[in-house]
Amino acid sequence: MTYHTFTESRLRDFTKSIFLKMTCSEEHAELATDVLIKSDLRGIDSHGVARLTGYVRLWEKGRINSKPNIKIVHETPTTATIDGDAGLGLVVAPYAMKVALEKAEKYGSGWVSVRNSNHFGIAAYHTLMAVEKEMIGFAMTNASPLVAPTFANERLLGTNPMCYAFPAGKYPPVIVDMATSAAANGKLEIAQRMAKPVPDGWIQDAAGNPSTDPHELKKGGSLLPLGSDRDHGSHKGFGLSATVDILSAVLSGANYGPWVPPFVAFMEPSDNPVGLGIGHFLGAMRVDGFRPIDEFKSHLDNWIERFSSAKQISEDQKVIIPGQPEFDAEQERSANGIPLIDEVCKDLNGIALKLGVQPLF
């Protein structure tokens, strides 16, 4: 597999130029770029600039409004519902988190549901906005219907990620950012580009049989919930995914379940939508609403130290604190550059040629 390594600034300039060609404003182009680059820096390659072709495709189809009028359509002192006007989720979700933070600063917590949005990148980006304010952050979103519930052979749910972020003291924040499916679709896309099979328990074929073919979804197969099967707890993954779907969409007025407009190219939106766009749910809580922030961070540091020093099964494996691998990746890639596989680079050069932007290399 061939890799090309780029500086953060080079990737930022290229990505911003694409969003500007999509007629996004300077502010929105910079923000959308920041969300994608943050993903690549943190080692979440499936949600970084590799997704640019998907955003361009949706914009070309008229499914992304590059100049949205994002607005609050319902509000109480601690809650709000936001209509994203079909804008980039990369822009809509940070707007929503800012609203949640403003409410939390005044009242102790803020909760925002979002409708009429699109794919919002990595959930951790939005929760880190809360951590920067020494708050606890929450972010979740529904997604393309690619996942079959336990015992089903029908794609009804998305990978529906949920993320929780907690500010620590001398250590990086604890960030639990995970799909509620056995694997995120982005990992299938990476396997496709690398021409490798995926592990058992990630997907099933159109007949409901286990498969390791990363192209299975395009043949009518489906992803499996977290846990893979009932014996290994897939009903719990189904329950978590359902929670994300309900909070993100049933609560906000977005599409839910099989009606969620897909991000993937091999699916088209439903002819009979039940809501507007896709949905998100974001929140922020002030730690000092429960105990002094310094006490909390000191004890979270202690928590991190204790779990990091857990008795190991083997000498070469230790407990990994949620968020630590991403933090380490960000330190390394900020210093040494961001690697992209050759297939992603070719995709990016393709959209550059199409939009009249200087190729990445």
Side-chain angles (χ1 to χ4, degrees):
M1 182 61 61
T2 303
Y3 286 86
H4 304 274
T5 301
F6 301 90
T7 63
E8 177 185 342
S9 61
R10 176 71 187 103
L11 276 187
R12 281 188 181 276
D13 290 344
F14 175 84
T15 304
K16 181 180 175 181
S17 69
I18 296 297
F19 283 121
L20 289 174
K21 283 291 185 177
M22 291 170 60
T23 70
C24 293
S25 69
E26 186 84 10
E27 177 187 3
H28 285 185
E30 285 187 2
L31 177 54
T33 294
D34 196 49
V35 179
L36 294 189
I37 297 301
K38 188 70 167 179
S39 179
D40 280 314
L41 284 172
R42 290 176 64 80
I44 314 299
D45 299 330
S46 59
H47 284 60
V49 296
R51 290 276 174 145
L52 260 179
T53 54
Y55 296 115
V56 171
R57 174 177 51 80
L58 294 183
W59 171 69
E60 289 175 331
K61 289 189 172 186
R63 288 176 51 194
I64 285 179
N65 177 6
S66 59
K67 299 182 182 297
N69 176 26
I70 307 168
K71 59 185 178 182
I72 297 173
V73 293
H74 183 78
E75 187 174 22
T76 74
T78 59
T79 67
T81 300
I82 285 175
D83 189 298
D85 195 25
L88 283 162
L90 307 171
V91 171
V92 176
Y95 177 100
M97 182 53 90
K98 286 182 180 179
V99 172
L101 289 169
E102 289 170 359
K103 291 180 177 295
E105 286 174 348
K106 286 184 179 180
Y107 302 108
S109 68
W111 305 96
V112 179
S113 64
V114 179
R115 70 187 189 205
N116 206 6
S117 185
N118 280 284
H119 189 277
F120 78 178
I122 56 168
Y125 182 92
H126 315 300
T127 59
L128 280 167
M129 293 173 63
V131 168
E132 289 169 3
K133 299 281 188 180
E134 297 197 319
M135 297 187 198
I136 297 170
F138 303 80
M140 55 189 69
T141 182
N142 63 6
S144 308
L146 299 173
V147 181
T150 302
F151 301 137
N153 188 25
E154 184 179 5
R155 300 190 296 215
L156 295 178
L157 288 166
T159 55
N160 293 6
M162 53 172 55
C163 182
Y164 310 90
F166 306 90
K170 58 184 177 181
Y171 297 108
V174 174
I175 302 178
V176 180
D177 187 1
M178 64 180 195
T180 55
S181 54
N185 182 50
K187 291 188 177 181
L188 293 189
E189 293 171 347
I190 291 174
Q192 291 167 17
R193 292 185 174 112
M194 298 179 74
K196 291 185 176 181
V198 297
D200 290 328
W202 281 19
I203 49 178
Q204 63 185 16
D205 65 19
N209 301 309
S211 175
T212 60
D213 180 358
H215 297 277
E216 203 66 73
L217 298 185
K218 298 174 184 177
K219 304 174 185 177
S222 49
L223 284 164
L224 295 169
L226 184 63
S228 301
D229 57 42
R230 178 61 186 265
D231 290 341
H232 293 89
S234 69
H235 57 293
K236 299 175 183 178
F238 173 32
L240 289 171
S241 185
T243 300
V244 173
D245 205 31
I246 293 166
L247 286 174
S248 297
V250 178
L251 188 63
S252 68
N255 288 289
Y256 45 83
W259 295 280
V260 175
F263 185 84
V264 294
F266 59 86
M267 295 174 65
E268 291 295 330
S270 170
D271 292 330
N272 57 336
V274 293
L276 297 172
I278 76 168
H280 318 311
F281 185 77
L282 302 104
M285 291 196 311
R286 280 174 51 175
V287 173
D288 62 4
F290 301 88
R291 70 185 304 187
I293 182 66
D294 289 341
E295 285 185 12
F296 173 83
K297 292 197 294 185
S298 174
H299 279 278
L300 187 55
D301 284 347
N302 187 52
W303 186 97
I304 292 168
E305 289 171 354
R306 181 63 187 89
F307 278 79
S308 296
S309 63
K311 187 183 296 183
Q312 297 172 217
I313 296 173
S314 63
E315 290 186 1
D316 59 343
Q317 289 183 313
K318 62 181 294 185
V319 170
I320 299 172
I321 302 302
Q324 185 67 51
E326 292 82 2
F327 176 83
D328 292 343
E330 187 166 1
Q331 304 307 299
E332 194 277 328
R333 291 185 173 193
S334 294
N336 301 316
I338 298 170
L340 300 178
I341 64 174
D342 192 50
E343 286 299 314
V344 169
C345 294
K346 289 178 180 177
D347 285 346
L348 295 176
N349 279 348
I351 61 172
L353 179 64
K354 179 190 296 186
L355 297 179
V357 170
Q358 183 178 351
L360 191 57
F361 72 102

